[in-house]
Amino acid sequence: MTDQNYSFFDSVIKSFDKAAKFTNWDPGILEQIKVCNSVYKMKFPVRIGDNIEVIEAYRVQHSHHKTPCKGGIRFSMEVNQDEVMALAALMTYKCAIVNVPFGGAKGGIKIDPKQYSVFDLEKITRRYTSELVKKNFIGPGTDVPAPDYGTGEREMAWILDTYVAMHPGEVDAAGCVTGKPVSQGGVRGRKEATGLGVFYGIREVCNMPEIMQKLALTTGVADKTVVVQGLGNVGYHSAKFFREAGAKVVAIAEWEGAIYSKEGLHEEEVFQHRKKTGSILHFPGAENLVMTNDALELPCDILIPAALENVINGHNAPRIKAKIIGEAANGPLTPEADIILGNKKVLVVPDMYLNAGGVTVSYFEWLKNLSHVRYGRLGKRFSENMNKHILGTIEDLTGKKVNEAEKKFIEHGADEIDLVHSGLEETMITATREIMDIWLSNPAIPDMRTAAYILAINKVATSYAELGIFP
Ligand code: NAD
């Protein structure tokens, strides 16, 4: 089966329509959910050295069924209106599935950030932010950007500073953007959030006996073999949490090649080796796979593509041997691959919710900004005092003492990082169960991705129906 050339937004619409058939919503409501509510394409001049460059940029608000809208900002030469619209739509569905009360949005600046100095990048980012301010396309109650491809904490700090300068005295201004450094109102736990969310989502699937039986796998994550593509933020943290839970990461792929070890790889050691030698290859005790994409075709229980889109396609899908694919990256499977893997009964856990850890923790950051207090500040000490008291009473009554390590664990009061991880765990478990319930309720629903879309459509449509539509 060969892959067709779909526009990204077209393929989102295609998946939406496939799922909408399983719902009974008014066609008008479905149409309203599908379309992008506001598309802002802008061009602005920035002086770079002796020249004036005209920069092309976008901000798309896909849905206003809940406000603010939320979604990252990309810096990439691939940025175009269709891509930003598709990514904004996916944000609406992603937020709905994980019960984050935002509409979807996305932004992009068509530049190659590697071609600019830090000084010039700051000018471009600040100018983009002021364009958003002028059109009311940014603000804690209207639209809240975040990092995406090519942007990070640094850019978010520039956006915040520009917004604050243009809104002096606005008490909730810090909530105008998320993914900020902790010193600027960011939240602890954002960095590992997506990889940890991927782990929690897959672990929940692995804990479902009826699903594991169908795949001829035992329940639980321990001893499962895992292949990870991409040792960046998401891949590194996914590998880390799987390894810590007792799974074996048997292969890791990077763009220059892949490595395999039956005994399992330690992501930090591989990361350090790559840092030192400049390549993932020749890792002590591991076999080299010079054709990096061969790693995707290795026999394993769980395959985690965490690098790029379209890496599993009509060409290589027939050779995939994994039983579960966890879509950590955005769009790693083409629609053709989806069909082939569906026929092969491979379980594809869809990106639309599996990589929602980042936006979930962004939501926690926004709440922190609006409440103006660090998570755990009010309750931590109280819990510790109470836990100490309870433990002391039990020890007195039983005449026995718990060991020091156990004591430390029991007495510990929740800090910001504990609460963020716990909120993320709850979110991913609930979303996985809700999607599975829909999938298992109707044998005609072909895959988990369609079930995830149905859940998203139901949530957004309910919101529209309850809000009422203006006459
Ligand atoms: P990243 O840039 O930190 O990591 C990507 C890694 O993939 C890099 O190490 C890169 O060298 C590697 N890579 C590139 N080409 C490759 C190839 N051909 N084969 C193997 N590896 C290759 O990016 P990230 O933040 O980890 O994001 C990865 C994916 O996850 C993207 O699709 C992104 O959209 C998605 N995602 C990220 C987040 C987040 O919070 N970072 C949230 C949701 C979705």
Side-chain angles (χ1 to χ4, degrees):
M1 187 179 269
T2 52
D3 294 295
Q4 295 179 28
N5 268 335
Y6 297 99
S7 110
F8 192 1
F9 190 61
D10 284 347
S11 78
V12 174
I13 297 274
K14 215 168 144 133
S15 303
F16 182 100
D17 288 341
K18 190 169 152 191
K21 283 195 220 119
F22 293 96
T23 73
N24 295 316
W25 293 102
D26 182 291
I29 286 196
L30 291 173
E31 181 60 23
Q32 173 58 34
I33 298 173
K34 263 197 284 191
V35 295
C36 288
N37 292 181
S38 309
V39 179
Y40 179 21
K41 175 177 181 177
M42 66 202 96
K43 298 223 179 187
F44 51 80
V46 178
R47 183 177 292 281
I48 307 290
D50 293 334
N51 302 319
I52 290 173
E53 265 188 42
V54 178
I55 307 281
E56 180 179 324
Y58 300 86
R59 184 71 185 170
V60 171
Q61 297 175 345
H62 171 258
S63 180
H64 294 150
H65 77 289
K66 288 199 191 294
T67 45
C69 298
K70 182 107 196 69
I73 292 176
R74 291 194 162 187
F75 287 2
S76 155
M77 285 309 287
E78 309 305 316
V79 163
N80 60 64
Q81 187 171 323
D82 182 87
E83 181 192 71
V84 184
M85 284 168 63
L87 292 166
L90 289 174
M91 283 303 295
T92 295
Y93 308 138
K94 193 176 285 195
C95 289
I97 293 172
V98 293
N99 292 321
V100 165
F102 296 145
K106 203 81 183 187
I109 306 185
K110 191 178 162 92
I111 53 167
D112 175 359
K114 290 190 213 77
Q115 303 302 320
Y116 294 89
S117 66
V118 173
F119 178 68
D120 289 338
L121 281 176
E122 179 172 348
K123 273 197 291 187
I124 294 168
T125 309
R126 286 182 180 275
R127 177 66 195 244
Y128 174 71
T129 310
S130 64
E131 294 297 324
L132 296 179
V133 170
K134 280 195 255 173
K135 287 276 191 288
N136 204 20
F137 263 68
I138 183 171
T142 50
D143 190 345
V144 183
D148 195 70
Y149 194 85
T151 60
E153 287 189 346
R154 180 184 68 177
E155 287 73 17
M156 302 307 114
W158 292 333
I159 291 173
L160 172 69
D161 192 54
T162 310
Y163 181 86
V164 168
M166 297 173 83
H167 293 84
E170 189 178 301
V171 69
D172 290 331
C176 77
V177 62
T178 60
K180 304 178 290 288
V182 172
S183 62
Q184 301 297 321
V187 75
R188 289 162 187 83
R190 173 68 184 83
K191 194 171 175 201
E192 68 273 29
T194 304
L196 184 56
V198 167
F199 168 72
Y200 285 145
I202 300 282
R203 185 189 65 183
E204 191 55 21
V205 169
C206 290
N207 283 341
M208 295 176 169
E210 66 279 26
I211 302 289
M212 290 300 102
Q213 233 167 31
K214 278 191 204 160
L215 297 170
L217 291 172
T218 53
T219 48
V221 161
D223 297 326
K224 296 257 181 314
T225 52
V226 181
V227 171
V228 177
Q229 184 194 39
L231 195 60
N233 179 323
V234 179
Y236 175 94
H237 287 104
S238 301
K240 173 178 190 285
F241 294 114
F242 273 105
R243 179 187 53 74
E244 287 177 354
K248 257 192 213 162
V249 180
V250 291
I252 299 180
E254 258 296 335
W255 62 267
E256 69 273 15
I259 50 172
Y260 171 82
S261 162
K262 203 162 75 150
E263 310 311 321
L265 299 158
H266 191 298
E267 71 296 330
E268 178 58 23
E269 289 169 10
V270 176
F271 181 81
Q272 289 305 334
H273 166 81
R274 187 167 186 243
K275 206 168 144 189
K276 204 166 87 189
T277 65
S279 168
I280 199 169
L281 295 169
H282 307 293
F283 181 72
E287 251 175 69
N288 287 338
L289 278 84
V290 180
M291 301 295 285
T292 183
N293 279 348
D294 287 354
L296 300 171
E297 299 171 22
L298 288 169
C300 65
D301 298 322
I302 304 168
L303 172 62
I304 308 280
L308 304 167
E309 55 280 344
N310 299 338
V311 292
I312 303 174
N313 44 47
H315 179 66
N316 62 358
R319 297 191 299 275
I320 298 288
K321 296 174 198 72
K323 297 196 169 161
I324 300 173
I325 299 181
E327 292 188 315
N330 278 314
L333 269 62
T334 63
E336 281 77 10
D338 238 0
I339 296 169
I340 295 168
L341 294 167
N343 291 338
K344 286 175 61 159
K345 307 282 178 234
V346 174
L347 174 61
V348 177
V349 186
D351 50 357
M352 222 214 312
Y353 96 96
L354 191 67
N355 65 27
V359 70
T360 303
V361 173
S362 278
Y363 167 50
F364 300 158
E365 179 176 335
W366 181 77
L367 291 175
K368 175 185 181 181
N369 296 148
L370 299 192
S371 66
H372 300 265
V373 63
R374 168 174 56 81
Y375 287 107
R377 179 166 173 185
L378 300 186
K380 179 180 164 67
R381 203 54 66 172
F382 179 83
S383 306
E384 286 187 355
N385 291 340
M386 188 61 84
N387 294 345
K388 265 187 200 154
H389 183 78
I390 295 169
L391 189 60
T393 307
I394 294 172
E395 286 182 337
D396 286 348
L397 289 172
T398 59
K400 292 179 180 165
K401 297 263 177 217
V402 297
N403 67 42
E404 275 311 307
E406 228 8 71
K407 193 170 176 177
K408 212 170 144 193
F409 181 75
I410 294 169
E411 287 180 357
H412 175 76
D415 232 326
E416 182 159 273
I417 191 84
D418 303 313
L419 293 168
V420 164
H421 285 182
S422 157
L424 178 58
E425 184 175 12
E426 163 62 19
T427 301
M428 295 308 296
I429 289 176
T430 305
T432 307
R433 288 185 187 168
E434 285 184 358
I435 294 169
M436 276 298 180
D437 283 350
I438 290 181
W439 192 25
L440 299 178
S441 72
N442 183 351
I445 297 172
D447 46 40
M448 210 177 156
R449 190 188 314 283
T450 307
Y453 264 95
I454 295 171
L455 180 62
I457 292 170
N458 285 342
K459 289 193 179 186
V460 181
T462 304
S463 186
Y464 270 118
E466 285 172 357
L467 276 175
I469 309 278
F470 273 114

